[in-house]
Amino acid sequence: MATAVSTQPTEPATHEEEDAPQIVLLDPALVVRDECNAREEDTEPDEDLINSVREIGVEETISVRPRPDGTYGAFKGWRRAQAQQIANATAQEDGRPVRRIKAHVREDLVGKDGWTRFLSLVENKHREGMTARDILKSQELSLIDMSDVERRQASKALGVGRNAVKQAKAAQKLDDAILRRATAGGMDLEQTAQLAEVEHVPGAERRLLRALERDHEEGNGGRGHWDQEMALLKAERTDADARTKAEEDLKAADIPLLGQPGYGQKDPSKPLAELTTGLGNPLTEDNHKSCPGHSARLDDEHRPVWHCADPAAYGHKVRPQPKKPKTQEDEQKAEDRARTVACNRAWKAAAGPRQEFVKRLVRGKTLPDEARLFAQQIMLDLPRFYGKWADKQRTQTVALLLGAKDPENDSASETAAHFPKNRLANVVFAQVAAAFEDAIREPKQFDTARMTHVYLWESPDRLQAAYLLLLEALGQADDGSYQLSEVENQAVARHRPDAAA
């Protein structure tokens, strides 16, 4: 059987095919930047590349030309070579191996500067950055298929946490435009995933980017402003979810939810509390259900306030009440009410970042001296609130701050028993902090000294303010890892040392 032979001319072999350079292992210290490297700007390796090389070395082969002085000029991969040089400089100190680097040694390009620059240009021109979505997807899929050991090493190399798989999956829910803005704004994987949690809260992206910017402006690597803004956004999301559920419950019960009348329109509806039957008997939810006008509005806590959509049409009477003209005082009361609702929500939200910070302090190797002295003072002075708290035997918050997996059921004393002897101060501070956390949990409290109710965001007592100010100072000392929220700042303003000046 005859064999067909192609008569088409073949392409000439390229330089690389012709010489088939072998891959060799070079000492990175011998690699310098080739003068024909096309990349003139952005020639330094970034922190992500350096971290990756520290963990796994340079995986992609670089291309170099021999130089007369015994060094090698990198025209492809100079940033990777520098990253390995940096990693090797501290390798022995960090207990990592000193690595060599894989390289194509292109002896055929010695003296061929034009072709060398061309090859360098081709690599850099066509090396486009991956999209944020592609990066997230590749992180998720690659980490899923790894062993635990490989995943830990890869996570370090990528500069991500141990929850990177979940975070990458969550972050992919964002659309491309938001992902680009998040990346450009400096959000890491965890922060991008957190943005996805609250993206539907109005202004969430703008507020988080501003919080991140404030953390960056302080330049200490902390994320205190981010944590506080995130806690507030989660509280707002929870509030919005509660309203959505209340609306869905009304819809499932076939009860209309009344909207607000448009401009210039009269609202005929009235709450049942202001109405009676035709005979003058009170109207309630139960005896009004059969009325075609049975409807509801939701109050600030998303509870239904029962209404009749048109009392006159359905034979109800309005309870006789003297009509009060709307005054400036009424408008001020409505404004005060809205502010109270917002401050109460913010006060409760601030507890999350605050307790997370206390947990980090308690579980650290060394408790800051200021925290130890504060706990010692409370234990010795035994203020009244601390004694009352101890009598109630509330141990869940102590267990939470000590790091119990299930604070509701795990014993605080058993959790504390796992702490080394030299961390007794940590355990004591956890107990004192738990007493404060339980004492300031609710924003509205009864002040026995003044015999009146107060809001803590307006008027905390001296010790409560001292506790918050202590945490603020410790957070600042810890590279800004914790910041007081706006509502907490408002609460402690008059207790600051310079306030009396």
Side-chain angles (χ1 to χ4, degrees), residues 145-158:
D145 291 332
M146 291 181 178
S147 68
D148 289 342
V149 174
E150 290 172 334
R151 191 177 297 115
R152 280 195 296 271
Q153 187 178 19
S155 296
K156 279 186 180 180
L158 292 170

Side-chain angles (χ1 to χ4, degrees), residues 267-282:
D267 183 9
S269 70
K270 285 197 175 295
L272 298 188
E274 298 178 12
L275 301 172
T276 68
T277 66
L279 298 177
N281 295 316

Side-chain angles (χ1 to χ4, degrees), residues 151-216:
R151 191 177 297 115
R152 280 195 296 271
Q153 187 178 19
S155 296
K156 279 186 180 180
L158 292 170
V160 297
R162 59 184 177 181
N163 294 320
V165 174
K166 291 182 181 178
Q167 290 164 355
K169 191 177 186 68
Q172 289 177 71
K173 295 175 183 176
L174 297 170
D175 66 37
D176 289 340
I178 296 176
L179 276 175
R180 284 195 297 270
R181 291 194 295 269
T183 302
M187 289 189 195
D188 60 24
L189 177 60
E190 180 184 5
Q191 290 167 328
T192 308
Q194 288 181 330
L195 170 59
E197 289 182 56
V198 296
E199 66 162 323
H200 297 301
V201 178
E205 181 189 343
R206 171 183 52 79
R207 289 163 59 181
L208 285 174
L209 283 171
R210 176 56 188 146
L212 185 59
E213 184 181 349
R214 292 175 67 191
D215 283 329
H216 287 169

Side-chain angles (χ1 to χ4, degrees), residues 216-231:
H216 287 169
E217 284 170 355
E218 293 180 4
N220 47 26
R223 49 181 289 170
H225 294 297
W226 172 281
D227 288 341
Q228 290 293 358
E229 196 64 54
M230 190 66 201

Side-chain angles (χ1 to χ4, degrees), residues 247-257 289 292 294-295:
E247 291 175 355
E248 289 173 349
D249 289 345
L250 288 174
K251 186 176 181 180
D254 204 22
I255 298 172
L257 177 64
K289 279 181 179 178
H294 189 58
S295 51

